[in-house]
Structure formats: C-alpha cells, structure tokens
Amino acid sequence: MTVVGTTPPPRLPLRDRAAARDHAGGGVSPMLTRLAAERATGVLERERGALHLVEGRVAHAESPYAPGLDVLLPAHGTLDAAVWREAVERADERSGAARLLLDAGRIGQGALEVCHLGALYDAAYFALAPSSAPGRFHYGTGHWFGVLRPVAVDALERETLRRRELLHRLWPDPLPDTAPLLRTEPVAAPGLTARQRAVLALVDGVRTASDIARALGRQAFATLVDARRLAAAGLVTARFPPPAPMAPPGLDLPRVDDADITLLKRLRDALEAL
C-alpha cells in the first residue's frame, strides 16, 4: 500500500474566552469609554442608574437598586443621620457634602472613602447592566456630594464584570437581583452563615434583594451574593414579573356597533338553520 503524504490542516485559532464574555455580556458602555477618553465632566444617565464623571473619571454613582450613603453611613453608627442631612442641605457647587463632613471632623477620610467607594461600585453594577434603552450624557453637571476619590472607567468596568462573573458562578439566573424573593420548602436546609440567615429572615415574597440590603443597612452586592447562594441552596426563589398585557395600554380597539351585532346574530341564526 502506498501512503500519500498530505499537508495537515492549519490549527484553528484559540478563542479568547474572557474577551468573548465581555463582548457577549455587554459588560461595558461604549459611551462611557468614549467619555473617559474625552476626559468629560457631567452625568451619564442609564436605565438603572447614573454615573457622575469628573474629567473622565467616575466620581459618584447612583441607582434605585443600590442603597446610597444616606442608608449606609447611619446604619451602623458611622455617622449620625441628622449630621448627614445637614451636610446634604448645605452642599453646593463649591463645597460638596463630603468636604463639609471632613472639614467639620464629623467622619474620618478613610472611613468616608471606603463607604463611598462601596456605594459607588454597588450603584455602578446596576447602572452598567445591559439595557435596551440608550444612555444620555449631560455635560458639565456636578453632584452635591463633591469629588472624594474618583475611579478610572476601566477599573470600574473590570470590577463590574468581575462581580457579574462571580454572581453567575454562584447562580446563573440574574432574576434574584431585582425580583421579589420567595421562600421555598427545601428537603434539607444547609448550614447558613449569620449574614445569610439575616437575609433569609426578611424574605417575604415582596422584598427584593435591594429592599433587604436597605433594611439591613448593607451594600447591595453583598446582599446579591447571599441571595444567589440562597437560591442555589434551594431556600429562595424569585417571583417572575406579571405577564405583559396582550394589547399595549392605550391601544384603540375597533368598536362594534348595534348594526354589527344584528348582522352577527342573523349570521348565527342562518348557520343554525342549516
């Protein structure tokens, strides 16, 4: 038998899984990347939150899904709630609330920075979530909190993607992040940490993970981790949102008048007589 030599086919290129996840997950905002390159100052409004930029860096972030400093600072005695409200009321474009608190010695800079960065990353996780609605940027809009320790956009995006991947490994369904949580009836309940027991105690079919985070005075992401671990353990499930109506609200349906009804009745009688 004669063996004919052939040239082996070229090796297929290896897929960059990390890059593919980033691209497929929509983890970054092209608009935010462009604004960082422009060193823009203003506020980027997205479907689930807002990012405040100063010279292309994120100085503050807000989201209705993440507890803010008004919840986190007074929760465990770090700052009196009345002192926080006073600083917010006195804040203006020249003296933000952060600078007023620090100058008055109401809180140490390290403690304020740690709490602020935690709230910023929490809100950014939701604000940078994939969205069907386009973002809008308003140039030159400041924030009453002021500038404390702004975060580079690439660092913020990396942390947001890291958090998404961690939550996906714990429980791949993202519904527990935003939907009301329900208790289940597991066959066997695994051992829970004190943090998980505190979260589970507030699960009532109405509260979301964000609601529970506010009630406990904790950061949103830590509560999301607990919620997904409880879901993976079969102790909680997420309530699905109600189904959308068949017809959009406000849709004008065709009207049926008396003549149409009479005609339909005659047609019915004729069919019955056959």
Side-chain angles (χ1 to χ4, degrees), residues 1 5 14 23 43 46 48 54 66 72 116 132 134 142 159 161 165 175-176 203 206 216 240 251 269:
M1 178 183 295
L14 296 177
H23 182 268
V43 55
R46 289 174 56 87
R48 294 189 177 184
V54 175
L72 299 175
H116 175 251
S132 58
E159 175 61 16
L161 289 173
E165 292 175 356
L175 195 60
V203 173
V206 178
L216 296 175
F240 286 92
L251 179 64
D269 295 339

PDB file of all heavy atoms in Angstrom, residues 1 5 14 23 43 46 48 54 66 72 116 132 134 142 159 161 165 175-176 203 206 216 240 251 269:
ATOM      1  N   MET A   1       0.853  -1.193   0.000  1.00  0.00           N
ATOM      2  CA  MET A   1       0.000   0.000   0.000  1.00  0.00           C
ATOM      3  C   MET A   1       0.880   1.230   0.000  1.00  0.00           C
ATOM      4  O   MET A   1       1.849   1.308   0.761  1.00  0.00           O
ATOM      5  CB  MET A   1      -0.918   0.011   1.225  1.00  0.00           C
ATOM      6  CG  MET A   1      -1.796   1.245   1.320  1.00  0.00           C
ATOM      7  SD  MET A   1      -2.796   1.242   2.825  1.00  0.00           S
ATOM      8  CE  MET A   1      -3.831  -0.182   2.504  1.00  0.00           C
ATOM      9  N   GLY A   5       1.403  11.311   1.354  1.00  0.00           N
ATOM     10  CA  GLY A   5       1.567  12.348   2.363  1.00  0.00           C
ATOM     11  C   GLY A   5       0.682  13.546   2.079  1.00  0.00           C
ATOM     12  O   GLY A   5       0.554  13.976   0.937  1.00  0.00           O
ATOM     13  N   LEU A  14      -7.380  29.834  18.700  1.00  0.00           N
ATOM     14  CA  LEU A  14      -7.986  29.671  20.018  1.00  0.00           C
ATOM     15  C   LEU A  14      -8.864  30.870  20.332  1.00  0.00           C
ATOM     16  O   LEU A  14      -8.509  32.014  20.058  1.00  0.00           O
ATOM     17  CB  LEU A  14      -6.898  29.529  21.097  1.00  0.00           C
ATOM     18  CG  LEU A  14      -6.019  28.281  20.983  1.00  0.00           C
ATOM     19  CD1 LEU A  14      -4.950  28.312  22.064  1.00  0.00           C
ATOM     20  CD2 LEU A  14      -6.857  27.018  21.087  1.00  0.00           C
ATOM     21  N   HIS A  23     -17.625  40.746  25.440  1.00  0.00           N
ATOM     22  CA  HIS A  23     -18.363  41.235  24.288  1.00  0.00           C
ATOM     23  C   HIS A  23     -19.815  40.772  24.329  1.00  0.00           C
ATOM     24  O   HIS A  23     -20.737  41.528  24.070  1.00  0.00           O
ATOM     25  CB  HIS A  23     -17.691  40.741  23.004  1.00  0.00           C
ATOM     26  CG  HIS A  23     -18.358  41.241  21.756  1.00  0.00           C
ATOM     27  ND1 HIS A  23     -19.348  40.527  21.135  1.00  0.00           N
ATOM     28  CD2 HIS A  23     -18.181  42.382  21.032  1.00  0.00           C
ATOM     29  CE1 HIS A  23     -19.772  41.198  20.062  1.00  0.00           C
ATOM     30  NE2 HIS A  23     -19.076  42.317  19.981  1.00  0.00           N
ATOM     31  N   VAL A  43     -22.891  63.954  33.754  1.00  0.00           N
ATOM     32  CA  VAL A  43     -23.588  62.784  34.284  1.00  0.00           C
ATOM     33  C   VAL A  43     -24.102  61.932  33.128  1.00  0.00           C
ATOM     34  O   VAL A  43     -24.730  62.443  32.195  1.00  0.00           O
ATOM     35  CB  VAL A  43     -24.747  63.198  35.225  1.00  0.00           C
ATOM     36  CG1 VAL A  43     -25.719  64.142  34.544  1.00  0.00           C
ATOM     37  CG2 VAL A  43     -25.471  61.972  35.754  1.00  0.00           C
ATOM     38  N   ARG A  46     -28.407  56.217  32.645  1.00  0.00           N
ATOM     39  CA  ARG A  46     -28.761  54.954  32.024  1.00  0.00           C
ATOM     40  C   ARG A  46     -30.040  54.418  32.659  1.00  0.00           C
ATOM     41  O   ARG A  46     -30.556  55.001  33.615  1.00  0.00           O
ATOM     42  CB  ARG A  46     -27.606  53.955  32.159  1.00  0.00           C
ATOM     43  CG  ARG A  46     -26.403  54.315  31.285  1.00  0.00           C
ATOM     44  CD  ARG A  46     -25.214  53.402  31.549  1.00  0.00           C
ATOM     45  NE  ARG A  46     -25.534  52.000  31.367  1.00  0.00           N
ATOM     46  CZ  ARG A  46     -25.459  51.353  30.202  1.00  0.00           C
ATOM     47  NH1 ARG A  46     -25.081  52.000  29.115  1.00  0.00           N
ATOM     48  NH2 ARG A  46     -25.741  50.066  30.135  1.00  0.00           N
ATOM     49  N   ARG A  48     -30.816  51.972  34.602  1.00  0.00           N
ATOM     50  CA  ARG A  48     -30.858  51.547  36.002  1.00  0.00           C
ATOM     51  C   ARG A  48     -29.958  52.359  36.915  1.00  0.00           C
ATOM     52  O   ARG A  48     -29.663  51.925  38.034  1.00  0.00           O
ATOM     53  CB  ARG A  48     -30.475  50.066  36.106  1.00  0.00           C
ATOM     54  CG  ARG A  48     -31.480  49.130  35.454  1.00  0.00           C
ATOM     55  CD  ARG A  48     -31.174  47.690  35.774  1.00  0.00           C
ATOM     56  NE  ARG A  48     -32.157  46.781  35.223  1.00  0.00           N
ATOM     57  CZ  ARG A  48     -32.181  45.468  35.421  1.00  0.00           C
ATOM     58  NH1 ARG A  48     -31.243  44.910  36.189  1.00  0.00           N
ATOM     59  NH2 ARG A  48     -33.098  44.707  34.878  1.00  0.00           N
ATOM     60  N   VAL A  54     -16.000  63.251  36.358  1.00  0.00           N
ATOM     61  CA  VAL A  54     -15.183  64.462  36.503  1.00  0.00           C
ATOM     62  C   VAL A  54     -13.892  64.210  35.751  1.00  0.00           C
ATOM     63  O   VAL A  54     -13.104  63.322  36.121  1.00  0.00           O
ATOM     64  CB  VAL A  54     -14.892  64.780  37.986  1.00  0.00           C
ATOM     65  CG1 VAL A  54     -13.936  65.968  38.089  1.00  0.00           C
ATOM     66  CG2 VAL A  54     -16.186  65.071  38.730  1.00  0.00           C
ATOM     67  N   ALA A  66     -29.556  50.199  44.546  1.00  0.00           N
ATOM     68  CA  ALA A  66     -28.438  50.101  45.485  1.00  0.00           C
ATOM     69  C   ALA A  66     -28.609  51.135  46.603  1.00  0.00           C
ATOM     70  O   ALA A  66     -28.847  52.317  46.322  1.00  0.00           O
ATOM     71  CB  ALA A  66     -27.112  50.334  44.760  1.00  0.00           C
ATOM     72  N   LEU A  72     -26.178  53.781  54.168  1.00  0.00           N
ATOM     73  CA  LEU A  72     -25.003  53.050  54.638  1.00  0.00           C
ATOM     74  C   LEU A  72     -24.285  53.752  55.788  1.00  0.00           C
ATOM     75  O   LEU A  72     -23.824  53.100  56.728  1.00  0.00           O
ATOM     76  CB  LEU A  72     -24.034  52.832  53.474  1.00  0.00           C
ATOM     77  CG  LEU A  72     -24.582  52.015  52.295  1.00  0.00           C
ATOM     78  CD1 LEU A  72     -23.573  51.966  51.166  1.00  0.00           C
ATOM     79  CD2 LEU A  72     -24.953  50.612  52.753  1.00  0.00           C
ATOM     80  N   HIS A 116     -17.905  55.330  50.575  1.00  0.00           N
ATOM     81  CA  HIS A 116     -18.285  55.926  49.295  1.00  0.00           C
ATOM     82  C   HIS A 116     -17.924  55.018  48.135  1.00  0.00           C
ATOM     83  O   HIS A 116     -18.713  54.840  47.192  1.00  0.00           O
ATOM     84  CB  HIS A 116     -17.617  57.293  49.127  1.00  0.00           C
ATOM     85  CG  HIS A 116     -17.856  57.915  47.794  1.00  0.00           C
ATOM     86  ND1 HIS A 116     -16.874  58.033  46.835  1.00  0.00           N
ATOM     87  CD2 HIS A 116     -18.984  58.424  47.239  1.00  0.00           C
ATOM     88  CE1 HIS A 116     -17.377  58.601  45.758  1.00  0.00           C
ATOM     89  NE2 HIS A 116     -18.652  58.851  45.972  1.00  0.00           N
ATOM     90  N   SER A 132     -31.799  47.992  27.055  1.00  0.00           N
ATOM     91  CA  SER A 132     -32.357  48.211  25.725  1.00  0.00           C
ATOM     92  C   SER A 132     -32.561  49.691  25.439  1.00  0.00           C
ATOM     93  O   SER A 132     -32.853  50.068  24.302  1.00  0.00           O
ATOM     94  CB  SER A 132     -33.704  47.479  25.606  1.00  0.00           C
ATOM     95  OG  SER A 132     -34.606  47.933  26.604  1.00  0.00           O
ATOM     96  N   PRO A 134     -31.109  53.623  25.264  1.00  0.00           N
ATOM     97  CA  PRO A 134     -29.824  54.311  25.111  1.00  0.00           C
ATOM     98  C   PRO A 134     -29.527  55.220  26.304  1.00  0.00           C
ATOM     99  O   PRO A 134     -30.439  55.747  26.940  1.00  0.00           O
ATOM    100  CB  PRO A 134     -30.013  55.132  23.829  1.00  0.00           C
ATOM    101  CG  PRO A 134     -31.492  55.356  23.747  1.00  0.00           C
ATOM    102  CD  PRO A 134     -32.134  54.129  24.323  1.00  0.00           C
ATOM    103  N   GLY A 142     -22.622  68.871  37.853  1.00  0.00           N
ATOM    104  CA  GLY A 142     -21.919  68.409  39.042  1.00  0.00           C
ATOM    105  C   GLY A 142     -22.834  67.613  39.956  1.00  0.00           C
ATOM    106  O   GLY A 142     -24.017  67.402  39.661  1.00  0.00           O
ATOM    107  N   GLU A 159     -14.258  45.755  37.522  1.00  0.00           N
ATOM    108  CA  GLU A 159     -14.895  45.316  38.762  1.00  0.00           C
ATOM    109  C   GLU A 159     -16.346  44.907  38.507  1.00  0.00           C
ATOM    110  O   GLU A 159     -16.840  43.925  39.086  1.00  0.00           O
ATOM    111  CB  GLU A 159     -14.843  46.427  39.803  1.00  0.00           C
ATOM    112  CG  GLU A 159     -15.585  46.128  41.101  1.00  0.00           C
ATOM    113  CD  GLU A 159     -15.055  44.912  41.842  1.00  0.00           C
ATOM    114  OE1 GLU A 159     -13.938  44.447  41.542  1.00  0.00           O
ATOM    115  OE2 GLU A 159     -15.767  44.410  42.731  1.00  0.00           O
ATOM    116  N   LEU A 161     -17.579  43.640  35.718  1.00  0.00           N
ATOM    117  CA  LEU A 161     -17.549  42.341  35.059  1.00  0.00           C
ATOM    118  C   LEU A 161     -17.160  41.230  36.033  1.00  0.00           C
ATOM    119  O   LEU A 161     -17.687  40.116  35.970  1.00  0.00           O
ATOM    120  CB  LEU A 161     -16.576  42.374  33.878  1.00  0.00           C
ATOM    121  CG  LEU A 161     -17.043  43.197  32.673  1.00  0.00           C
ATOM    122  CD1 LEU A 161     -15.929  43.298  31.647  1.00  0.00           C
ATOM    123  CD2 LEU A 161     -18.283  42.592  32.053  1.00  0.00           C
ATOM    124  N   GLU A 165     -19.457  37.920  36.846  1.00  0.00           N
ATOM    125  CA  GLU A 165     -18.970  36.551  36.712  1.00  0.00           C
ATOM    126  C   GLU A 165     -19.095  35.790  38.030  1.00  0.00           C
ATOM    127  O   GLU A 165     -19.433  34.599  38.044  1.00  0.00           O
ATOM    128  CB  GLU A 165     -17.522  36.568  36.229  1.00  0.00           C
ATOM    129  CG  GLU A 165     -17.372  37.071  34.795  1.00  0.00           C
ATOM    130  CD  GLU A 165     -15.917  37.207  34.372  1.00  0.00           C
ATOM    131  OE1 GLU A 165     -15.043  36.974  35.231  1.00  0.00           O
ATOM    132  OE2 GLU A 165     -15.673  37.531  33.213  1.00  0.00           O
ATOM    133  N   LEU A 175     -32.403  36.791  37.872  1.00  0.00           N
ATOM    134  CA  LEU A 175     -33.679  37.297  38.367  1.00  0.00           C
ATOM    135  C   LEU A 175     -33.661  37.636  39.858  1.00  0.00           C
ATOM    136  O   LEU A 175     -34.282  38.624  40.264  1.00  0.00           O
ATOM    137  CB  LEU A 175     -34.786  36.281  38.062  1.00  0.00           C
ATOM    138  CG  LEU A 175     -36.235  36.790  38.192  1.00  0.00           C
ATOM    139  CD1 LEU A 175     -36.491  37.954  37.256  1.00  0.00           C
ATOM    140  CD2 LEU A 175     -37.219  35.652  37.931  1.00  0.00           C
ATOM    141  N   PRO A 176     -32.974  36.869  40.722  1.00  0.00           N
ATOM    142  CA  PRO A 176     -32.958  37.244  42.145  1.00  0.00           C
ATOM    143  C   PRO A 176     -32.326  38.598  42.435  1.00  0.00           C
ATOM    144  O   PRO A 176     -32.469  39.108  43.549  1.00  0.00           O
ATOM    145  CB  PRO A 176     -32.145  36.112  42.793  1.00  0.00           C
ATOM    146  CG  PRO A 176     -32.305  34.951  41.871  1.00  0.00           C
ATOM    147  CD  PRO A 176     -32.353  35.548  40.500  1.00  0.00           C
ATOM    148  N   VAL A 203     -36.971  37.667  53.762  1.00  0.00           N
ATOM    149  CA  VAL A 203     -37.601  37.223  52.512  1.00  0.00           C
ATOM    150  C   VAL A 203     -39.080  36.968  52.784  1.00  0.00           C
ATOM    151  O   VAL A 203     -39.432  36.118  53.608  1.00  0.00           O
ATOM    152  CB  VAL A 203     -36.920  35.949  51.984  1.00  0.00           C
ATOM    153  CG1 VAL A 203     -37.688  35.385  50.789  1.00  0.00           C
ATOM    154  CG2 VAL A 203     -35.478  36.254  51.592  1.00  0.00           C
ATOM    155  N   VAL A 206     -42.273  39.860  48.889  1.00  0.00           N
ATOM    156  CA  VAL A 206     -42.478  41.241  48.451  1.00  0.00           C
ATOM    157  C   VAL A 206     -41.147  41.967  48.293  1.00  0.00           C
ATOM    158  O   VAL A 206     -40.914  42.662  47.300  1.00  0.00           O
ATOM    159  CB  VAL A 206     -43.381  42.001  49.449  1.00  0.00           C
ATOM    160  CG1 VAL A 206     -43.541  43.458  49.016  1.00  0.00           C
ATOM    161  CG2 VAL A 206     -44.742  41.322  49.546  1.00  0.00           C
ATOM    162  N   LEU A 216     -31.256  46.127  56.071  1.00  0.00           N
ATOM    163  CA  LEU A 216     -30.130  45.695  56.904  1.00  0.00           C
ATOM    164  C   LEU A 216     -29.015  46.729  56.953  1.00  0.00           C
ATOM    165  O   LEU A 216     -28.068  46.565  57.739  1.00  0.00           O
ATOM    166  CB  LEU A 216     -29.570  44.371  56.362  1.00  0.00           C
ATOM    167  CG  LEU A 216     -30.515  43.162  56.419  1.00  0.00           C
ATOM    168  CD1 LEU A 216     -29.878  41.961  55.730  1.00  0.00           C
ATOM    169  CD2 LEU A 216     -30.864  42.830  57.869  1.00  0.00           C
ATOM    170  N   PHE A 240     -41.529  35.767  39.345  1.00  0.00           N
ATOM    171  CA  PHE A 240     -41.483  36.295  37.994  1.00  0.00           C
ATOM    172  C   PHE A 240     -42.393  37.512  37.893  1.00  0.00           C
ATOM    173  O   PHE A 240     -43.431  37.584  38.553  1.00  0.00           O
ATOM    174  CB  PHE A 240     -41.929  35.234  36.983  1.00  0.00           C
ATOM    175  CG  PHE A 240     -40.907  34.173  36.748  1.00  0.00           C
ATOM    176  CD1 PHE A 240     -40.906  33.004  37.499  1.00  0.00           C
ATOM    177  CD2 PHE A 240     -39.927  34.343  35.789  1.00  0.00           C
ATOM    178  CE1 PHE A 240     -39.959  32.020  37.291  1.00  0.00           C
ATOM    179  CE2 PHE A 240     -38.964  33.361  35.576  1.00  0.00           C
ATOM    180  CZ  PHE A 240     -38.981  32.202  36.321  1.00  0.00           C
ATOM    181  N   LEU A 251     -54.165  51.239  23.514  1.00  0.00           N
ATOM    182  CA  LEU A 251     -54.440  50.839  22.137  1.00  0.00           C
ATOM    183  C   LEU A 251     -55.932  50.931  21.877  1.00  0.00           C
ATOM    184  O   LEU A 251     -56.746  50.394  22.629  1.00  0.00           O
ATOM    185  CB  LEU A 251     -53.954  49.415  21.893  1.00  0.00           C
ATOM    186  CG  LEU A 251     -54.180  48.838  20.492  1.00  0.00           C
ATOM    187  CD1 LEU A 251     -53.379  49.643  19.474  1.00  0.00           C
ATOM    188  CD2 LEU A 251     -53.806  47.380  20.433  1.00  0.00           C
ATOM    189  N   ASP A 269     -78.028  32.694  13.247  1.00  0.00           N
ATOM    190  CA  ASP A 269     -79.311  32.018  13.055  1.00  0.00           C
ATOM    191  C   ASP A 269     -79.312  31.236  11.737  1.00  0.00           C
ATOM    192  O   ASP A 269     -79.855  30.130  11.653  1.00  0.00           O
ATOM    193  CB  ASP A 269     -80.467  33.033  13.081  1.00  0.00           C
ATOM    194  CG  ASP A 269     -80.604  33.674  14.450  1.00  0.00           C
ATOM    195  OD1 ASP A 269     -80.104  33.071  15.433  1.00  0.00           O
ATOM    196  OD2 ASP A 269     -81.201  34.771  14.530  1.00  0.00           O
TER     197      ASP A 269
END
